[in-house]
Amino acid sequence: MTTTPSLTAEELSLGYGDRTVVSDLDLAVAPGAITVIVGANACGKSTLLRAMSRLLAPRTGRVVLDGRLVHKMPAKELARTLGLLPQSPIAPEGITVADLVGRGRHPHQGVFSRWNERDDEAVAEALEATQTAELADRAVDELSGGQRQRVWIAMALAQQTDVLLLDEPTTFLDPSHQIEVLDLLTDLNQARGTTIVMVLHDLNLAARYADRLVAMAGGRIHAQGEPADVLTEENVRAVFGLESRVITDPTSGRPLMLPIGRHRVFEPVAG
Amino acid sequence: MSADLLTRPAGTDRVTTAADVARGRSRRARRRRTVVLVLLVLVVAGFAVSLMFGRTNYSASEVMRVVLGEQVPGASFTVGRLRLPRAVLAVFAGFAFGLAGVTFQTMLRNPLASPDVIGISSGASAAAAVGIIVFGLNGTAVSVLAIVAALGVALLVYLLAFRDGVVGTRLILMGIGVAAMLDSVTAYALSRAAEWDLQEAMRWLTGSLNGTGWNQVTPTVLAVLVLAPVLLWQSRNLSALQLGDDTAAALGVRVERTRIVLIVAAVGLIAFATAAAGPIAFVAFLSGPIAARIVGPGSSLLVPSALVGALLVLVADFVGQYALGTRFPVGVVTGVLGAPYLVYLIIRTHRAGSSL
Ligand SMILES: Nc1ncnc2c1ncn2[C@@H]1O[C@H](COP(=O)(O)OP(=O)(O)O)[C@@H](O)[C@H]1O
Ligand SMILES: [Mg+2]
């Protein structure tokens, strides 16, 4: 196994047109760990992931992978080290699971090089790991949301990168499928040492599965570190504008956030 | 990396091996190879039939001798001068339309986004009509003019409707509007023609192979020989683009560059073929979906669609000439086939409530 590469964003500013979305952001992704990014809608999480995988050129600053500028690396070479599963990938009509997963081999193939055994092995391994082997010959558009998400993750796994970025891989999944996907990614992290960076919406799942938690607000990093240090009542208020109680999750020892609204509360909250 | 990487829950038995994956893949590859082979045989057969049969029929050996350059009384003129260039143009123009059409449809992830629906063929056609009729140009100058106009329309539609890779109703409607405008330019050019020539009008409005000579055939053949390999070379990138721009980029595709290469090559094919044969109606639009039906999902449709295009033009031209009592130009026949499918697609997408 190769050593896990380091990925850092330095003084990164990002935007679209004349709108700045992320400004002067520094982030050192912990190699071999699971980093989870949380933050309110439209605070720039996807934008940050897109820039880290060079889908978006930075206004200023840089993204560095193992000492090399991501935006200067040859596209396929980068794609063999760093993978991204976007928020809404598109499955071509009728494509089978095996075919779709096979598309993950793109960066390993030349224009004229033929598909080889290593490609087959990578696809088999990815199907196996995501337990989608039984679905291999099914059409992706016939699958349930949870199955489909596992198939997309299988495609990203077939890419065999040391770093994997995932943008909201559990949104639209029911609770059991969310857990299934997060367990799968944790397995992957533990078995292969794959560095994982993902955006999650559910703060409690984020705190449970993250080695490092990053809270973004308004295009900046508001707090980062151990989940217990980041998921606090003050931070939830600052980042989401939400009153909450944070207790310790009895099953995991991680922080558990209980939101407090205006109704269904025993006692009014001070402040 | 090991197969026991991730523990499977107890009770699940089957372990996928690379061999399973390889088996599935070769099954799909075999189907595609068979389809390509059958299509190739059909194109060759269609080509032979259109050389042999017509008002006068010639035997295979007579046709063969003409093709090989011998003088055969009667056949040398009918087959050599009339039927051969016509059939060659049918094959190459059909090939070009089929290939360019499926490239656009795949790249823009929308069967309606074919160059003949979104105005690119109309641009080439209007330029060719104006060049020939108004300015008296011919040969290469017409092809160049058609290319410039087709690229111009592609750029215009792109700028008007297709930013950030977003393709929807807007692009299609914009393209249809642009096509209608350009068709009226063609009609205007035709109204200016010194002597009203119905053949010429039909060519630029619906596409026709009537009166095809070698000087029209050569540029199209060369364009196919140069541009088809470019598109085939981009075939894997095109497959990755189908997954969305972000996914493709994450897989190592340079999205913008790939898209420009694909657009220029496909538009070039359309322009050359249109400059020679007119915008043979709906061939670009129909070939991809037909090929997709035959090949099945997942594999590259470029070659199958190109062959379907060639076959479609060959057969439609033959039918138009001999099967319908009066002689119809090829574009009328393909138009009759294509229009219902266009309506069907529009109704289907409308009903599905999607944004095309
Ligand atoms: N392609 C784009 N063009 C213009 N603005 C965009 C684009 N993508 C995102 N934005 C804007 O940038 C901001 C941040 O978006 P995003 O990074 O997707 O947020 P998040 O993922 O945190 O919800 C939003 O206001 C969004 O409207
Ligand atoms: Mg997002």
Side-chain angles (χ1 to χ4, degrees):
Chain A
M1 191 140 300
T2 52
T3 53
T4 317
S6 68
L7 177 66
T8 55
E10 298 167 5
E11 297 165 24
L12 204 56
S13 292
L14 308 167
Y16 304 94
D18 41 44
R19 213 175 130 220
T20 301
V21 173
V22 167
S23 42
D24 200 22
L25 180 146
D26 287 282
L27 176 67
V29 172
I34 298 181
T35 301
V36 178
I37 302 176
V38 296
N41 285 331
C43 74
K45 304 179 296 292
S46 299
T47 303
L48 176 62
L49 281 200
R50 296 182 77 235
M52 296 217 287
S53 51
R54 88 175 241 161
L55 269 55
L56 184 68
R59 290 272 177 73
T60 60
R62 63 211 145 267
V63 179
V64 184
L65 178 68
D66 256 352
R68 299 175 67 187
L69 289 177
V70 158
H71 290 83
K72 293 267 161 63
M73 283 176 75
K76 278 196 172 173
E77 193 188 333
L78 175 65
R80 288 194 291 268
T81 310
L82 185 147
L84 167 77
L85 187 58
Q87 205 163 347
S88 41
I90 302 164
E93 209 176 312
I95 193 171
T96 63
V97 168
D99 265 330
L100 185 68
V101 175
R103 302 268 169 111
R105 297 302 293 163
H106 186 271
H108 298 272
Q109 297 168 330
V111 178
F112 299 109
S113 68
R114 296 183 66 98
W115 184 280
N116 62 36
E117 284 140 45
R118 296 217 15 225
D119 297 321
D120 286 331
E121 277 161 22
V123 171
E125 215 176 279
L127 290 171
E128 198 60 24
T130 52
Q131 297 177 23
T132 48
E134 292 75 13
L135 310 173
D137 294 321
R138 297 265 301 275
V140 174
D141 35 25
E142 292 170 0
L143 303 180
S144 74
Q147 291 173 323
R148 203 174 305 155
Q149 194 59 22
R150 279 187 287 151
V151 169
W152 282 112
I153 291 173
M155 190 199 77
L157 294 194
Q159 203 174 332
Q160 293 187 323
T161 57
D162 296 328
V163 183
L164 183 55
L165 314 182
L166 303 104
D167 199 349
E168 299 194 21
T170 59
T171 308
F172 305 123
L173 299 185
D174 62 33
S176 70
H177 285 122
Q178 292 185 25
I179 295 292
E180 197 179 295
V181 163
L182 293 171
D183 276 343
L184 163 66
L185 293 169
T186 308
D187 287 339
L188 179 74
N189 167 259
Q190 288 174 356
R192 289 190 192 172
T194 306
T195 303
I196 291 181
V197 182
M198 59 183 155
V199 173
L200 292 182
H201 255 305
D202 185 313
L203 290 179
N204 293 327
L205 290 180
R208 180 178 295 187
Y209 281 90
D211 295 315
R212 292 184 63 78
L213 192 58
V214 176
M216 281 181 72
R220 293 168 193 276
I221 292 180
H222 180 79
Q224 60 175 319
E226 298 275 320
D229 298 331
V230 176
L231 187 55
T232 62
E233 290 166 10
E234 301 82 71
N235 283 339
V236 171
R237 191 180 304 123
V239 171
F240 294 95
L242 179 70
E243 290 304 325
S244 66
R245 279 279 286 283
V246 174
I247 60 174
T248 300
D249 178 351
T251 54
S252 66
R254 295 289 175 98
L256 186 67
M257 191 276 296
L258 307 168
I260 300 173
R262 289 185 294 108
H263 295 290
R264 310 280 184 203
V265 179
F266 283 135
E267 51 194 272
V269 182
Chain B
M1 287 172 217
S2 54
D4 60 331
L5 167 65
L6 307 171
T7 43
R8 298 175 59 81
T12 40
D13 37 357
R14 211 167 71 102
V15 170
T16 336
T17 59
D20 288 325
V21 176
R23 237 190 325 279
R25 188 170 44 73
S26 64
R27 181 162 17 89
R28 287 186 298 275
R30 213 163 29 241
R31 173 165 174 187
R32 186 169 168 279
R33 260 201 309 278
T34 311
V35 167
V36 167
L37 203 67
V38 168
L39 284 172
L40 211 53
V41 168
L42 289 176
V43 169
V44 170
F47 186 73
V49 165
S50 56
L51 294 183
M52 289 163 62
F53 301 105
R55 286 252 185 79
T56 1
N57 299 339
Y58 297 95
S59 71
S61 73
E62 282 172 305
V63 166
M64 209 57 196
R65 277 158 56 207
V66 173
V67 171
L68 293 176
E70 280 181 48
Q71 281 300 319
V72 184
S76 274
F77 179 76
T78 313
V79 175
R81 295 283 286 282
L82 298 182
R83 290 183 194 169
L84 191 57
R86 182 180 190 123
V88 171
L89 183 59
V91 168
F92 279 85
F95 193 95
F97 285 134
L99 188 54
V102 80
T103 300
F104 265 82
Q105 288 165 327
T106 312
M107 176 177 66
L108 302 181
R109 306 172 201 114
N110 188 336
L112 283 168
S114 102
D116 43 359
V117 176
I118 61 175
I120 292 169
S121 305
S122 299
S125 182
V130 169
I132 291 173
I133 296 165
V134 180
F135 298 111
L137 301 175
N138 55 36
T140 320
V142 175
S143 297
V144 170
L145 199 61
I147 287 260
V148 171
L151 281 175
V153 172
L155 187 69
L156 181 74
V157 174
Y158 186 97
L159 289 181
L160 286 177
F162 176 61
R163 292 195 209 105
D164 306 321
V166 180
V167 181
T169 319
R170 208 151 60 109
L171 174 102
I172 309 297
L173 291 180
M174 209 68 95
I176 291 175
V178 170
M181 252 160 53
L182 291 164
D183 287 344
S184 61
V185 171
T186 307
Y188 173 73
L190 292 169
S191 74
R192 294 267 314 265
E195 70 262 49
W196 178 260
D197 183 345
L198 191 62
Q199 291 296 341
E200 200 66 352
M202 288 315 261
R203 181 189 299 272
W204 301 121
L205 289 173
T206 75
S208 161
L209 297 169
N210 291 339
T212 300
W214 285 113
N215 57 340
Q216 284 160 278
V217 177
T218 321
T220 305
V221 171
L222 291 178
V224 168
L225 293 181
V226 172
L227 296 174
V230 172
L231 289 177
L232 296 180
W233 164 60
Q234 289 292 330
S235 148
R236 277 209 185 125
N237 284 342
L238 182 60
S239 302
L241 268 188
Q242 273 187 304
L243 309 177
D245 288 359
D246 280 3
T247 315
L251 289 173
V253 176
R254 290 183 176 276
V255 170
E256 281 310 314
R257 197 170 69 180
T258 301
R259 198 148 46 208
I260 288 170
V261 171
L262 291 170
I263 290 178
V264 170
V267 167
L269 284 175
I270 290 286
F272 272 98
T274 304
I280 304 177
F282 292 133
V283 174
F285 170 60
L286 282 175
S287 300
I290 294 176
R293 280 284 155 77
I294 316 176
V295 178
S299 21
S300 169
L301 293 175
L302 294 181
V303 174
S305 306
L307 292 173
V308 167
L311 191 61
L312 213 51
V313 175
L314 270 174
V315 171
D317 189 43
F318 195 78
V319 168
Q321 282 191 88
Y322 305 115
L324 301 174
T326 23
R327 293 190 165 210
F328 288 104
V330 58
V332 170
V333 180
T334 56
V336 165
L337 287 175
Y341 182 64
L342 180 61
V343 171
Y344 161 77
L345 261 191
I346 289 173
I347 291 173
R348 194 189 70 166
T349 38
H350 198 69
R351 201 178 284 147
S354 72
S355 60
L356 286 181

